Amino acid sequence: LTTGDGSATTLTPASYAGFKASTATFSASGSTPTWLKINATSGEEGRIQFQDGGTSKWAVGNKGSDDSFIISAGAALTPSPKLTISSAGTVGINQSDPDALLHIEDDATLPRHLLHLKGGGSSGNYGMLVEAANGTDLFKIDTLTYKVTMPSAYPVGIGTDSPVSLLHIYSSAPEFTIQDGGSWATNA
């Protein structure tokens, strides 16, 4: 280990707590890979903490009880995980146990959208595209033309998960509005 002043230091278990340097450089010689290894007791957290003035701000590491990788606010990996990658490859944002490939959870205090997609450029790429396994476009939002389309003509259900027509609206008091720019409107 080379410290910020250029001197070499060998860390032994007795010196872990007292090691202080403004910069630590880990370098290998030749083709040998460089490793920073954190070996926690089996089932325990192996983590790196980031502090500001002695106050823990972030923790990054492996949660030994389920082998998930976590970035968390504060000193520990729990109870405030901001990003979780499970050993199964699922990703959770504000969620410690993601149950989908991407699981975003609102903590009821966020003053913003859960997901913000913003397109750019002039090539006509889509801001969002939902595609079936066979490559059929099911739903897309074009951020160049501002069109929202469902080009495959599959049924859409609002208030029902089993639509029987192209647009199936179900409600105990169904109401919808069709308006032509302000000159007339119809509620049905």
Side-chain angles (χ1 to χ4, degrees):
L1 176 67
T2 304
T3 61
D5 63 4
S7 63
T9 302
T10 301
L11 298 178
T12 60
S15 67
Y16 286 163
F19 174 72
K20 293 181 180 178
S22 59
T23 304
T25 304
F26 297 85
S27 47
S29 59
S31 61
T32 305
T34 302
W35 296 84
L36 170 60
K37 217 179 252 193
I38 299 173
N39 189 3
T41 304
S42 180
E44 296 296 323
E45 295 178 355
R47 69 177 182 256
I48 299 172
Q49 289 182 9
F50 297 88
Q51 295 186 334
D52 180 12
T55 302
S56 294
K57 299 294 186 177
W58 291 93
V60 177
N62 172 260
K63 185 174 150 194
S65 60
D66 64 8
D67 283 332
S68 58
F69 177 79
I70 295 175
I71 298 174
S72 184
L77 298 180
T78 55
S80 301
K82 299 303 178 193
L83 177 72
T84 302
I85 303 173
S86 75
S87 58
T90 57
V91 176
I93 298 175
N94 276 350
Q95 172 52 253
S96 61
D97 188 21
D99 61 8
L101 287 176
L102 177 60
H103 183 157
I104 302 172
E105 186 150 321
D106 182 2
D107 65 2
T109 64
L110 294 175
R112 56 191 164 270
H113 304 293
L114 286 177
L115 181 62
H116 180 146
L117 302 172
K118 184 175 182 180
S122 58
S123 64
N125 290 326
Y126 298 105
M128 187 170 109
L129 175 64
V130 177
E131 187 178 77
N134 66 3
T136 302
D137 292 350
L138 300 176
F139 177 85
K140 58 186 173 182
I141 301 172
D142 186 324
T143 56
L144 182 63
T145 63
Y146 305 106
K147 291 181 182 176
V148 177
T149 58
M150 294 181 210
S152 60
Y154 285 105
V156 174
I158 299 174
T160 178
D161 59 3
S162 53
V164 295
S165 61
L166 281 179
L167 178 59
H168 183 159
I169 301 172
Y170 177 82
S171 173
S172 60
E175 182 179 313
F176 61 94
T177 301
I178 301 173
Q179 189 169 1
D180 76 344
S183 60
W184 63 272
T186 300
N187 287 331

